[in-house]
Amino acid sequence: MHHDVVVVPGGTGNVGEGIVRAFLLAGATVVVPGRSQERLEKLAELIGPRLGDRLIRLQAGYGTFDESTELAEEIVADRGRIDHVVLAIGGWWTGKSLWQVSDIDWQKHFVETTTSHLAVARAFVPRLDAAGSYTLITGFAAREPYPQSGIISMHAAAVLMMREALSVELRGQRRVNSLLLGPIINRSRPNGDPSWLTRDQVGEAAVAVALAPSVQDESLRLGTVEELERELTRMRA
Ligand SMILES: NC(=O)c1ccc[n+]([C@@H]2O[C@H](COP(=O)([O-])OP(=O)(O)OC[C@H]3O[C@@H](n4cnc5c(N)ncnc54)[C@H](OP(=O)(O)O)[C@@H]3O)[C@@H](O)[C@H]2O)c1
């Protein structure tokens, strides 16, 4: 992992923070693009100066095809390579049944987030190092509907299928996987059931996936620390 370049779209978020920290701890250089300078600065503060010298913050969007292409080109020009990409884009939303959602809700929680995922895949997958990996983060909502959060489930299901479509199209040329997460303990929700993963444990899983050549075309279910430990043992074997 030393000298690897890892890009984390969504690295400024609650789950992304743990992914960024874990790759920095593993010795990688981590590039985090984000739309808001304030959120990027907050991330640097959370990571701290000890690890922060390998954290590259870029105030840049990736919500459109053009923005993502420009971002990927800039990273390749600056860093010379892209080894791993881990996406923790978008968050939770609740409040309305499917027949009540507004045009704005739909744009924000389905169209924009789903478009960002495709824009990043389109720009980064062809530029990934041959030994690299591409990992999508999504939640149980991809497979389970929750009342008043239907558009989040629709987005998550689309992301999960995107991973499967990428897998059949790439046919082993690149490793593509997804992590299916349950509730995560993070800076916005510091307390929760002790069986839940923390953001840093999600990071540990993402690093293990990036490091394990045998993990390919998988959707790893990580709802509890017990499930995480089982997967870590398998991946590190
Ligand atoms: N938190 C949990 O308990 C949990 C549980 C299961 C699954 N997950 C999954 O983990 C992922 C991240 O969740 P999170 O809780 O970390 O969310 P979050 O704190 O709201 O962070 C969202 C991140 O996505 C980025 N982003 C880029 N485009 C976006 C868009 N159009 N709309 C919203 N955000 C956008 C944001 O970047 P900017 O800095 O540019 O705003 C931010 O870094 C999601 O896929 C979520 O389903 C989370």
Side-chain angles (χ1 to χ4, degrees), residues 3-19:
H3 310 298
D4 277 5
V5 175
V6 182
V7 185
V8 186
T12 52
N14 292 316
V15 172
E17 176 200 335
I19 296 168

Side-chain angles (χ1 to χ4, degrees), residues 39 53 63 71 155 165 181 189 213 223:
R39 282 167 62 77
D53 59 338
L71 176 65
H155 159 71
L181 306 178
R189 181 175 45 205

Side-chain angles (χ1 to χ4, degrees), residues 74-224:
E74 183 184 338
I75 296 171
V76 172
D78 288 354
R79 303 280 140 203
R81 58 191 290 135
I82 299 169
D83 295 281
H84 306 283
V85 178
V86 184
L87 295 92
I89 299 177
W92 187 248
W93 173 86
T94 194
K96 291 175 193 158
S97 300
L98 282 177
W99 57 88
Q100 295 167 326
V101 295
S102 67
D103 187 43
I104 290 171
D105 298 330
W106 176 245
Q107 288 299 322
K108 195 164 154 33
H109 299 291
F110 185 89
V111 178
E112 287 178 16
T113 47
T114 311
T115 304
S116 300
H117 265 281
L118 183 59
V120 173
R122 195 177 163 278
F124 284 81
V125 168
R127 292 177 172 85
L128 266 186
D129 187 81
S133 69
Y134 194 87
T135 305
L136 304 155
I137 307 288
T138 186
F140 284 2
R143 289 198 177 137
E144 291 162 33
Y146 296 90
Q148 273 75 56
S149 296
I151 50 176
I152 290 288
S153 278
M154 290 173 68
H155 159 71
V159 168
L160 197 59
M161 181 49 75
M162 194 176 92
R163 199 285 294 157
E164 293 182 22
L166 282 170
S167 288
V168 295
E169 288 171 354
L170 285 163
R171 296 201 296 177
Q173 294 173 71
R174 296 290 182 282
R175 289 196 296 119
V176 187
N177 297 288
S178 44
L179 305 186
L180 262 175
L181 306 178
I184 302 302
I185 295 172
N186 62 65
R187 64 183 189 257
S188 298
R189 181 175 45 205
N191 301 303
D193 189 299
S195 72
W196 294 352
L197 273 65
T198 64
R199 66 199 182 298
D200 290 341
Q201 286 172 318
V202 176
E204 206 182 341
V207 170
V209 167
L211 286 174
S214 61
V215 180
Q216 177 146 348
D217 305 329
E218 290 192 31
S219 292
L220 285 84
R221 186 189 157 93
L222 298 173
T224 62

Side-chain angles (χ1 to χ4, degrees), residues 21-86:
R21 186 177 293 106
F23 277 99
L24 289 169
L25 280 168
T29 294
V30 180
V31 182
V32 178
R35 300 168 292 184
S36 137
Q37 190 57 37
E38 200 185 323
R39 282 167 62 77
L40 287 164
E41 274 165 26
K42 176 77 189 162
L43 174 68
E45 216 177 280
L46 291 161
I47 295 297
R50 192 173 65 82
L51 291 173
D53 59 338
R54 279 178 285 106
L55 170 62
I56 315 292
R57 292 167 285 153
L58 292 180
Q59 190 177 1
Y62 43 84
T64 66
F65 287 4
D66 285 349
E67 279 177 345
S68 269
T69 302
E70 207 176 296
L71 176 65
E73 282 171 352
E74 183 184 338
I75 296 171
V76 172
D78 288 354
R79 303 280 140 203
R81 58 191 290 135
I82 299 169
D83 295 281
H84 306 283
V85 178
V86 184

